[in-house]
């Protein structure tokens, strides 16, 4: 058995989980609603406040899907109850971030500002305090979408290894390199 796949997922109060005939799992909670299509081979059972997943055989692909779908459903349940959050930090002189609604305006050292539209499912806030680096906060219920948008924002100006300038996750440890050795 998959160690992850065989663990039941407990359903918190205020959350409803349903599986329809097309194998689409729908999770509704106080923060929103998420849907995920599940492979037909994996059986999803909802009973007694728990979700259990079972697989038909011990084939490698069934074992892989067993753990995968259990993790995806667990993330959906956590997302609609608590939500997910990613924090990014802009390190560099003159780097700025501002938002109006879900449109993010970034100054990242290029000749022009970058206008980035955040999907409507996510909530974005920016903070600029004197003496500290500008920060971008992404919040939402879909873990995959938050990670994808955060990775896209980071890719606009990846942190470089010498001074660490760029867009990085808050708390991310960067591999730093030594600069040029002093001349003789």
């Amino acid at each position: 058995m998959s160690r992850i796949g065989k663990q039941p997922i407990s359903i918190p109060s205020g959350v409803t989980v349903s599986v329809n005939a097309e194998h689409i799992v729908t999770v509704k909670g106080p923060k929103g609603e998420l849907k995920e299509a599940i492979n037909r081979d994996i059986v999803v059972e909802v009973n007694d406040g728990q979700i259990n997943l079972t697989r038909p055989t011990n084939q490698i692909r069934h074992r892989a899907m067993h753990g995968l779908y259990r993790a995806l459903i667990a993330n959906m349940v956590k997302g609609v109850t608590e939500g997910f959050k990613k924090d990014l930090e802009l390190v560099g002189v003159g780097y700025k971030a501002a938002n109006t609604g879900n449109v993010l305006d970034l100054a990242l050292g290029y000749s022009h500002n970058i206008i980035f539209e955040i999907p409507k499912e996510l909530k974005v806030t920016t903070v600029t305090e004197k003496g500290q680096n500008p920060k971008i906060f992404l919040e939402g219920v879909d873990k995959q979408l938050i990670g994808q948008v955060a990775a896209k924002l980071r890719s606009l100006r990846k942190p470089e290894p010498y001074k660490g300038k760029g867009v990085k996750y808050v708390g991310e440890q960067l591999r730093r390199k030594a600069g040029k050795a002093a001349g003789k």
Side-chain angles (χ1 to χ4, degrees), residues 35-52:
K35 293 182 180 188
E36 181 72 39
I38 303 295
N39 190 292
R40 296 197 178 281
D41 294 341
I42 303 297
V43 178
V44 180
E45 298 168 344
V46 181
N47 49 12
D48 298 335
Q50 286 188 335
I51 305 168
N52 292 310

Side-chain angles (χ1 to χ4, degrees), residues 21-93:
E22 288 90 43
H23 288 277
I24 295 176
V25 176
T26 306
V27 180
K28 291 180 188 171
K31 290 198 176 251
E33 176 182 347
L34 291 171
K35 293 182 180 188
E36 181 72 39
I38 303 295
N39 190 292
R40 296 197 178 281
D41 294 341
I42 303 297
V43 178
V44 180
E45 298 168 344
V46 181
N47 49 12
D48 298 335
Q50 286 188 335
I51 305 168
N52 292 310
L53 281 79
T54 54
R55 63 176 186 244
T57 67
N58 240 358
Q59 291 179 1
I60 291 175
R61 84 183 175 89
H62 285 155
R63 290 193 316 229
M65 286 190 297
H66 191 201
L68 168 75
Y69 288 124
R70 191 261 176 214
L72 289 176
I73 294 172
N75 284 338
M76 290 166 59
V77 170
K78 184 179 177 191
V80 297
T81 54
E82 302 167 22
F84 291 101
K85 188 173 185 174
K86 274 275 195 209
D87 305 337
L88 294 116
E89 182 177 17
L90 280 62
V91 180
V93 177

Side-chain angles (χ1 to χ4, degrees), residues 22-178:
E22 288 90 43
H23 288 277
I24 295 176
V25 176
T26 306
V27 180
K28 291 180 188 171
K31 290 198 176 251
E33 176 182 347
L34 291 171
K35 293 182 180 188
E36 181 72 39
I38 303 295
N39 190 292
R40 296 197 178 281
D41 294 341
I42 303 297
V43 178
V44 180
E45 298 168 344
V46 181
N47 49 12
D48 298 335
Q50 286 188 335
I51 305 168
N52 292 310
L53 281 79
T54 54
R55 63 176 186 244
T57 67
N58 240 358
Q59 291 179 1
I60 291 175
R61 84 183 175 89
H62 285 155
R63 290 193 316 229
M65 286 190 297
H66 191 201
L68 168 75
Y69 288 124
R70 191 261 176 214
L72 289 176
I73 294 172
N75 284 338
M76 290 166 59
V77 170
K78 184 179 177 191
V80 297
T81 54
E82 302 167 22
F84 291 101
K85 188 173 185 174
K86 274 275 195 209
D87 305 337
L88 294 116
E89 182 177 17
L90 280 62
V91 180
V93 177
Y95 287 13
K96 294 177 185 150
N99 72 307
T100 47
N102 269 16
V103 177
L104 200 57
D105 186 7
L106 300 168
L108 297 175
Y110 296 115
S111 62
H112 58 283
N113 283 6
I114 297 171
I115 308 295
F116 190 89
E117 190 168 343
I118 305 291
K120 66 182 183 308
E121 295 89 8
L122 302 181
K123 181 182 168 228
V124 64
T125 53
T126 56
V127 174
T128 306
E129 294 177 6
K130 187 171 178 150
Q132 295 199 346
N133 295 325
K135 290 185 172 56
I136 301 169
F137 302 107
L138 294 170
E139 294 179 57
V141 295
D142 191 349
K143 185 175 187 177
Q144 186 269 336
L145 184 62
I146 285 184
Q148 184 177 356
V149 170
K152 180 65 179 167
L153 285 172
R154 185 179 184 272
S155 74
L156 295 174
R157 177 72 91 173
K158 285 187 181 167
E160 52 96 16
Y162 298 103
K163 291 183 179 177
K165 291 169 49 173
V167 180
K168 69 179 193 99
Y169 299 116
V170 171
E172 178 183 8
Q173 296 293 319
L174 299 176
R175 258 182 86 184
R176 301 294 291 267
K177 290 183 177 179

